[in-house]
Amino acid sequence: MRTIETMVTFHHPFVLSALETAQAAGTYRLVTEEEEIPGLSFIAFRRTVTLLYLPALPATGAAHQVVNVDPVEWAAVVEAHGRR
């Protein structure tokens, strides 16, 4: 198992199907977890989960919210609006 953490900055609001509302511009943390594919003659990994950490929601008092996002959709949003 391995974990890859990425920070992406958006200069404009963005929308993902996993979220009810548009997200504000800012820097977001993305965590991708992958597991090794056993039985191969080389090392390879498969993605098991892609988690987006959202800023605090004032109404809930929570420090952050974590949402499982579609990695293909996320890549398209970053390509269109973000910067790593």
Side-chain angles (χ1 to χ4, degrees), residues 2-68:
R2 71 178 179 182
T3 301
I4 302 167
E5 184 174 330
T6 308
M7 302 298 280
V8 179
T9 300
F10 291 93
H11 295 288
H12 302 284
F14 66 96
V15 177
L16 290 170
S17 61
L19 306 172
E20 293 180 14
T21 60
Q23 298 303 300
T27 301
Y28 290 80
R29 177 179 166 213
L30 185 79
V31 174
T32 303
E33 293 183 1
E34 299 176 335
E35 65 184 5
E36 188 172 346
I37 301 171
L40 300 176
S41 61
F42 55 92
I43 297 174
F45 291 85
R46 93 179 97 223
R47 184 178 10 240
T48 57
V49 69
T50 303
L51 302 171
L52 177 63
Y53 286 75
L54 301 176
L57 302 175
T60 65
H64 61 266
Q65 180 181 4
V66 181
V67 178
N68 190 357

